[in-house]
Amino acid sequence: MAASSAAVAACLLACALLFQTCVASRKLTALVQDQPITMTYHKGALLSGRIAVNLIWYGNFSAPQRAVITDFVSSLSTPPSPQPQPEPSVASWFKTARKYYANSKARFPALSLGQHVLDQSYSLGKRLGEKDLVKLAARGSPSRSINVVLTADDVAVDGFCMSRCGTHGASPRSRAGRFAYVWVGNPATQCPGQCAWPYHQPVYGPQAAPLTPPNGDVGVDGMVISLASMIVGTVTNPFGNGFFQGDADAPLEAATACTGVYGKGAYPGYAGSLLVDPASGASYNANGAHGRKYLVPALVDPDTSACSTVG
Protein backbone atom coordinates (compact mmCIF):
# COMPACT_ATOMS: atom_id res chain seq x y z
CA MET A 1 0.00 0.00 0.00
CA ALA A 2 1.45 3.36 -0.97
CA ALA A 3 2.54 5.13 2.19
CA SER A 4 1.48 8.75 2.07
CA SER A 5 0.72 8.94 5.81
CA ALA A 6 3.10 11.13 7.81
CA ALA A 7 4.45 9.98 11.15
CA VAL A 8 2.60 11.74 13.96
CA ALA A 9 5.64 12.91 15.87
CA ALA A 10 7.48 14.13 12.80
CA CYS A 11 4.39 15.97 11.60
CA LEU A 12 3.75 17.83 14.83
CA LEU A 13 7.42 18.63 15.32
CA ALA A 14 7.65 20.02 11.80
CA CYS A 15 4.55 22.13 12.45
CA ALA A 16 6.10 23.67 15.52
CA LEU A 17 9.56 24.21 14.06
CA LEU A 18 8.43 25.63 10.75
CA PHE A 19 5.51 27.69 12.05
CA GLN A 20 3.24 26.20 9.46
CA THR A 21 -0.13 24.58 9.36
CA CYS A 22 -0.43 20.80 9.50
CA VAL A 23 -1.96 19.80 6.19
CA ALA A 24 -2.74 16.33 4.88
CA SER A 25 -0.27 13.61 4.55
CA ARG A 26 1.03 16.23 2.43
CA LYS A 27 4.01 15.87 4.62
CA LEU A 28 5.25 18.66 6.83
CA THR A 29 8.86 19.24 6.09
CA ALA A 30 10.18 22.51 4.73
CA LEU A 31 7.65 24.98 3.41
CA VAL A 32 10.18 26.40 0.98
CA GLN A 33 13.23 24.30 0.13
CA ASP A 34 16.32 26.13 -1.09
CA GLN A 35 17.94 22.96 -2.37
CA PRO A 36 16.70 21.21 -5.53
CA ILE A 37 13.91 18.72 -4.84
CA THR A 38 14.80 15.55 -6.70
CA MET A 39 11.95 13.11 -7.26
CA THR A 40 13.52 9.72 -7.93
CA TYR A 41 11.70 7.15 -10.04
CA HIS A 42 11.82 3.80 -8.26
CA LYS A 43 10.80 1.85 -11.39
CA GLY A 44 7.41 0.78 -10.08
CA ALA A 45 4.16 0.51 -12.03
CA LEU A 46 2.25 3.72 -12.77
CA LEU A 47 -1.36 4.31 -13.70
CA SER A 48 -2.03 4.37 -17.43
CA GLY A 49 -4.92 4.39 -19.87
CA ARG A 50 -8.45 5.30 -18.85
CA ILE A 51 -8.87 5.60 -15.09
CA ALA A 52 -12.21 6.27 -13.43
CA VAL A 53 -12.27 8.47 -10.32
CA ASN A 54 -15.09 7.07 -8.19
CA LEU A 55 -16.37 9.10 -5.23
CA ILE A 56 -17.50 7.31 -2.06
CA TRP A 57 -19.36 9.78 0.18
CA TYR A 58 -19.38 8.61 3.80
CA GLY A 59 -21.74 10.54 6.05
CA ASN A 60 -23.79 13.63 5.40
CA PHE A 61 -22.72 15.86 2.53
CA SER A 62 -25.06 18.44 1.08
CA ALA A 63 -25.70 18.59 -2.65
CA PRO A 64 -23.69 21.86 -2.97
CA GLN A 65 -20.75 20.26 -1.15
CA ARG A 66 -20.79 17.24 -3.44
CA ALA A 67 -20.96 19.55 -6.46
CA VAL A 68 -17.80 21.43 -5.44
CA ILE A 69 -15.73 18.24 -5.26
CA THR A 70 -17.36 16.60 -8.27
CA ASP A 71 -16.59 19.67 -10.39
CA PHE A 72 -12.99 19.61 -9.17
CA VAL A 73 -12.52 16.04 -10.38
CA SER A 74 -14.12 16.99 -13.69
CA SER A 75 -11.68 19.90 -13.92
CA LEU A 76 -8.62 17.64 -14.06
CA SER A 77 -9.12 16.94 -17.76
CA THR A 78 -9.22 19.64 -20.41
CA PRO A 79 -12.81 19.77 -21.70
CA PRO A 80 -13.48 19.96 -25.42
CA SER A 81 -14.37 23.33 -26.91
CA PRO A 82 -16.36 25.50 -26.66
CA GLN A 83 -16.04 25.53 -22.84
CA PRO A 84 -12.34 25.46 -22.00
CA GLN A 85 -11.33 26.42 -18.47
CA PRO A 86 -9.96 29.98 -18.28
CA GLU A 87 -6.26 30.13 -17.45
CA PRO A 88 -4.73 29.52 -15.02
CA SER A 89 -6.73 26.31 -14.84
CA VAL A 90 -6.89 23.11 -12.83
CA ALA A 91 -6.28 21.17 -16.07
CA SER A 92 -3.04 23.09 -16.76
CA TRP A 93 -1.92 22.60 -13.16
CA PHE A 94 -2.47 18.85 -13.47
CA LYS A 95 -0.32 18.72 -16.61
CA THR A 96 2.76 19.17 -14.43
CA ALA A 97 2.17 15.59 -13.24
CA ARG A 98 2.37 14.49 -16.89
CA LYS A 99 6.04 15.49 -16.97
CA TYR A 100 6.88 12.67 -14.58
CA TYR A 101 5.71 10.12 -17.12
CA ALA A 102 8.35 11.28 -19.58
CA ASN A 103 10.82 9.43 -17.35
CA SER A 104 8.89 6.16 -17.55
CA LYS A 105 7.49 3.88 -20.23
CA ALA A 106 3.91 4.43 -19.13
CA ARG A 107 1.45 6.73 -20.86
CA PHE A 108 -0.12 9.43 -18.70
CA PRO A 109 -3.56 8.28 -17.53
CA ALA A 110 -6.81 9.84 -18.74
CA LEU A 111 -8.87 10.49 -15.61
CA SER A 112 -12.63 10.74 -15.82
CA LEU A 113 -15.40 11.10 -13.28
CA GLY A 114 -16.81 7.68 -12.42
CA GLN A 115 -19.60 6.53 -10.13
CA HIS A 116 -20.90 8.02 -6.89
CA VAL A 117 -21.49 5.82 -3.86
CA LEU A 118 -23.45 7.37 -0.99
CA ASP A 119 -23.36 6.02 2.56
CA GLN A 120 -25.41 8.43 4.64
CA SER A 121 -26.19 5.84 7.29
CA TYR A 122 -22.61 5.68 8.64
CA SER A 123 -22.62 1.92 8.10
CA LEU A 124 -19.19 1.49 9.71
CA GLY A 125 -19.79 3.96 12.52
CA LYS A 126 -18.41 7.41 13.11
CA ARG A 127 -14.89 6.37 14.05
CA LEU A 128 -12.84 4.73 11.31
CA GLY A 129 -9.47 3.04 11.15
CA GLU A 130 -7.28 2.36 8.13
CA LYS A 131 -8.97 -0.99 7.44
CA ASP A 132 -12.34 0.75 7.36
CA LEU A 133 -11.07 3.19 4.74
CA VAL A 134 -9.93 0.29 2.57
CA LYS A 135 -13.35 -1.38 2.96
CA LEU A 136 -15.07 1.80 1.87
CA ALA A 137 -12.68 2.28 -1.04
CA ALA A 138 -13.49 -1.26 -2.20
CA ARG A 139 -17.05 -0.12 -2.90
CA GLY A 140 -15.73 1.56 -6.00
CA SER A 141 -14.44 -0.24 -9.08
CA PRO A 142 -12.00 -3.11 -8.37
CA SER A 143 -9.59 -2.15 -11.15
CA ARG A 144 -8.47 0.73 -13.37
CA SER A 145 -9.75 3.26 -10.89
CA ILE A 146 -8.95 5.73 -8.16
CA ASN A 147 -11.58 5.21 -5.48
CA VAL A 148 -11.89 8.37 -3.38
CA VAL A 149 -13.33 8.06 0.14
CA LEU A 150 -14.67 11.36 1.47
CA THR A 151 -15.65 11.46 5.14
CA ALA A 152 -18.08 14.01 6.58
CA ASP A 153 -17.15 16.54 9.27
CA ASP A 154 -18.59 14.40 12.09
CA VAL A 155 -16.52 11.31 11.23
CA ALA A 156 -13.31 10.70 13.19
CA VAL A 157 -10.56 8.88 11.31
CA ASP A 158 -7.40 7.54 12.96
CA GLY A 159 -4.65 10.11 12.52
CA PHE A 160 -6.98 12.79 11.16
CA CYS A 161 -5.83 16.24 12.29
CA MET A 162 -3.00 14.77 14.38
CA SER A 163 -0.81 13.72 11.46
CA ARG A 164 -2.83 13.92 8.26
CA CYS A 165 -5.75 15.46 6.45
CA GLY A 166 -5.78 12.81 3.74
CA THR A 167 -3.83 9.85 2.45
CA HIS A 168 -3.56 7.52 -0.52
CA GLY A 169 -2.74 3.88 -1.04
CA ALA A 170 -3.62 0.83 -3.10
CA SER A 171 -5.51 -2.42 -2.66
CA PRO A 172 -3.70 -5.78 -2.59
CA ARG A 173 -3.40 -7.62 -5.89
CA SER A 174 -6.31 -9.93 -6.62
CA ARG A 175 -7.95 -11.75 -9.51
CA ALA A 176 -10.42 -8.87 -9.75
CA GLY A 177 -7.58 -6.44 -10.31
CA ARG A 178 -6.10 -3.67 -8.24
CA PHE A 179 -7.28 -0.17 -7.50
CA ALA A 180 -5.68 2.94 -6.05
CA TYR A 181 -7.54 4.84 -3.39
CA VAL A 182 -7.57 8.22 -1.71
CA TRP A 183 -9.09 9.31 1.58
CA VAL A 184 -9.80 12.92 2.53
CA GLY A 185 -11.69 14.14 5.61
CA ASN A 186 -13.80 17.25 6.06
CA PRO A 187 -11.94 19.39 8.63
CA ALA A 188 -14.70 21.99 9.17
CA THR A 189 -15.39 21.13 12.82
CA GLN A 190 -12.43 18.97 13.83
CA CYS A 191 -9.35 20.89 12.68
CA PRO A 192 -9.96 23.75 10.24
CA GLY A 193 -6.83 25.50 11.52
CA GLN A 194 -4.77 22.52 10.42
CA CYS A 195 -6.47 21.11 7.34
CA ALA A 196 -8.30 24.12 5.90
CA TRP A 197 -5.53 26.73 6.08
CA PRO A 198 -5.30 29.33 4.53
CA TYR A 199 -9.10 29.54 4.75
CA HIS A 200 -9.04 29.35 8.55
CA GLN A 201 -6.84 30.82 11.26
CA PRO A 202 -3.81 28.54 11.63
CA VAL A 203 -3.09 26.60 14.81
CA TYR A 204 0.63 27.33 14.65
CA GLY A 205 2.80 30.22 13.56
CA PRO A 206 1.93 33.67 12.21
CA GLN A 207 -1.70 34.55 12.77
CA ALA A 208 -2.59 36.32 9.54
CA ALA A 209 -6.27 36.79 8.74
CA PRO A 210 -7.78 33.77 6.96
CA LEU A 211 -8.62 34.08 3.28
CA THR A 212 -12.14 33.84 1.86
CA PRO A 213 -12.80 30.38 0.36
CA PRO A 214 -13.83 30.43 -3.33
CA ASN A 215 -16.77 28.05 -2.87
CA GLY A 216 -17.98 29.52 0.40
CA ASP A 217 -17.27 26.41 2.48
CA VAL A 218 -14.12 26.36 4.62
CA GLY A 219 -14.28 22.60 5.15
CA VAL A 220 -14.94 21.58 1.55
CA ASP A 221 -12.49 24.09 0.07
CA GLY A 222 -9.94 22.63 2.48
CA MET A 223 -10.86 19.14 1.29
CA VAL A 224 -10.14 20.19 -2.30
CA ILE A 225 -6.58 21.17 -1.35
CA SER A 226 -5.98 17.76 0.24
CA LEU A 227 -7.71 15.91 -2.59
CA ALA A 228 -5.59 17.70 -5.19
CA SER A 229 -2.42 16.75 -3.34
CA MET A 230 -3.44 13.12 -2.92
CA ILE A 231 -4.58 12.65 -6.51
CA VAL A 232 -1.23 13.88 -7.81
CA GLY A 233 0.48 11.58 -5.31
CA THR A 234 -1.64 8.69 -6.57
CA VAL A 235 -0.84 9.38 -10.22
CA THR A 236 2.92 9.75 -9.68
CA ASN A 237 3.35 7.15 -6.90
CA PRO A 238 0.32 4.84 -6.94
CA PHE A 239 1.83 1.70 -5.44
CA GLY A 240 4.63 3.05 -3.27
CA ASN A 241 7.43 2.54 -5.78
CA GLY A 242 6.89 5.37 -8.24
CA PHE A 243 8.23 8.93 -7.96
CA PHE A 244 9.18 10.21 -4.53
CA GLN A 245 12.01 11.52 -2.40
CA GLY A 246 13.21 10.01 0.86
CA ASP A 247 11.96 7.00 2.81
CA ALA A 248 9.33 4.86 1.08
CA ASP A 249 7.41 4.63 4.38
CA ALA A 250 7.21 8.44 4.63
CA PRO A 251 7.81 9.74 1.12
CA LEU A 252 7.87 13.28 -0.12
CA GLU A 253 5.80 13.34 -3.29
CA ALA A 254 5.16 15.83 -6.07
CA ALA A 255 2.68 17.86 -4.01
CA THR A 256 3.64 17.03 -0.43
CA ALA A 257 7.15 18.35 -1.02
CA CYS A 258 5.58 21.78 -1.59
CA THR A 259 3.26 21.89 1.42
CA GLY A 260 1.97 25.38 2.15
CA VAL A 261 3.00 26.84 -1.21
CA TYR A 262 0.12 28.06 -3.38
CA GLY A 263 1.42 31.19 -5.07
CA LYS A 264 4.63 33.00 -5.87
CA GLY A 265 6.49 34.40 -2.88
CA ALA A 266 5.03 31.95 -0.36
CA TYR A 267 6.64 31.66 3.04
CA PRO A 268 5.54 30.27 6.44
CA GLY A 269 2.18 31.83 7.26
CA TYR A 270 1.73 33.30 3.78
CA ALA A 271 0.22 31.19 0.99
CA GLY A 272 1.74 33.32 -1.75
CA SER A 273 0.36 35.75 -4.31
CA LEU A 274 -3.12 34.55 -5.29
CA LEU A 275 -5.94 35.68 -7.54
CA VAL A 276 -8.89 37.40 -5.89
CA ASP A 277 -12.46 37.24 -7.17
CA PRO A 278 -13.63 40.87 -7.38
CA ALA A 279 -17.23 39.90 -6.66
CA SER A 280 -16.75 37.69 -3.60
CA GLY A 281 -13.27 38.61 -2.40
CA ALA A 282 -12.36 34.92 -2.45
CA SER A 283 -8.74 33.86 -2.98
CA TYR A 284 -7.86 31.14 -5.47
CA ASN A 285 -5.23 30.18 -8.03
CA ALA A 286 -6.98 27.98 -10.59
CA ASN A 287 -10.18 28.00 -12.62
CA GLY A 288 -12.20 24.82 -12.94
CA ALA A 289 -15.26 23.31 -14.56
CA HIS A 290 -18.59 25.14 -14.54
CA GLY A 291 -17.01 28.44 -13.56
CA ARG A 292 -15.60 27.05 -10.30
CA LYS A 293 -12.51 28.49 -8.64
CA TYR A 294 -10.10 26.42 -6.55
CA LEU A 295 -6.88 26.57 -4.58
CA VAL A 296 -4.41 23.88 -5.63
CA PRO A 297 -0.95 23.21 -4.17
CA ALA A 298 2.33 23.90 -5.93
CA LEU A 299 3.91 20.80 -7.50
CA VAL A 300 7.54 19.86 -7.90
CA ASP A 301 8.36 20.41 -11.56
CA PRO A 302 10.76 17.61 -12.59
CA ASP A 303 12.27 19.93 -15.20
CA THR A 304 13.40 22.46 -12.60
CA SER A 305 13.43 20.39 -9.37
CA ALA A 306 11.55 23.25 -7.71
CA CYS A 307 8.02 23.95 -6.51
CA SER A 308 6.00 25.33 -9.41
CA THR A 309 2.81 27.30 -8.88
CA VAL A 310 0.05 27.93 -11.41
CA GLY A 311 -0.06 31.36 -12.97
Side-chain angles (χ1 to χ4, degrees):
M1 182 168 61
S4 271
S5 301
V8 174
C11 173
L12 297 179
L13 178 61
C15 286
L17 293 178
L18 295 171
F19 303 100
Q20 83 182 71
T21 301
C22 199
V23 280
S25 286
R26 319 181 263 202
K27 211 152 325 350
L28 292 162
T29 46
L31 178 64
V32 178
Q33 299 192 18
D34 295 328
Q35 298 299 318
I37 310 171
T38 303
M39 291 289 151
T40 302
Y41 180 38
H42 297 269
K43 307 302 181 182
L46 299 174
L47 302 182
S48 189
R50 294 185 178 278
I51 302 294
V53 181
N54 303 303
L55 303 179
I56 296 98
W57 305 91
Y58 189 80
N60 291 319
F61 286 91
S62 68
Q65 288 177 324
R66 292 199 299 270
V68 170
I69 293 178
T70 297
D71 284 346
F72 176 75
V73 172
S74 297
S75 301
L76 294 170
S77 300
T78 304
S81 297
Q83 291 185 322
Q85 299 169 24
E87 296 297 335
S89 68
V90 172
S92 294
W93 165 81
F94 191 54
K95 285 181 180 178
T96 299
R98 183 189 296 270
K99 295 183 179 182
Y100 285 82
Y101 278 61
N103 296 319
S104 75
K105 295 181 180 180
R107 295 182 62 184
F108 192 69
L111 303 188
S112 61
L113 182 64
Q115 62 181 320
H116 292 261
V117 178
L118 273 64
D119 185 340
Q120 296 177 312
S121 65
Y122 300 87
S123 63
L124 300 182
K126 290 190 176 183
R127 183 168 191 88
L128 306 179
E130 197 66 35
K131 291 182 179 179
D132 297 315
L133 298 180
V134 176
K135 287 180 182 178
L136 290 171
R139 296 180 182 179
S141 176
S143 65
R144 305 202 61 77
S145 65
I146 301 174
N147 295 331
V148 178
V149 177
L150 302 153
T151 51
D153 59 5
D154 58 349
V155 177
V157 175
D158 288 352
F160 188 32
C161 300
M162 293 183 293
S163 64
R164 59 183 184 170
C165 306
T167 193
H168 75 84
S171 67
R173 295 181 183 277
S174 71
R175 291 184 179 181
R178 193 181 192 190
F179 61 84
Y181 71 86
V182 167
W183 160 73
V184 171
N186 186 332
T189 59
Q190 298 184 55
C191 53
Q194 293 168 296
C195 297
W197 185 84
Y199 296 128
H200 191 278
Q201 203 79 14
V203 174
Y204 303 101
Q207 297 296 299
L211 304 178
T212 300
N215 296 287
D217 189 315
V218 169
V220 172
D221 278 297
M223 291 182 78
V224 168
I225 297 172
S226 298
L227 179 59
S229 177
M230 293 298 100
I231 284 182
V232 169
T234 299
V235 168
T236 56
N237 186 31
F239 307 115
N241 51 7
F243 290 92
F244 63 87
Q245 179 189 76
D247 191 330
D249 290 329
L252 278 178
E253 298 176 335
T256 60
C258 299
T259 293
V261 179
Y262 301 102
K264 290 180 171 59
Y267 56 81
Y270 174 58
S273 178
L274 303 176
L275 298 171
V276 177
D277 187 314
S280 65
S283 297
Y284 68 102
N285 61 5
N287 294 286
H290 304 125
R292 296 279 187 190
K293 294 174 172 55
Y294 297 105
L295 188 66
V296 292
L299 302 178
V300 176
D301 187 329
D303 293 342
T304 64
S305 297
C307 293
S308 176
T309 59
V310 291

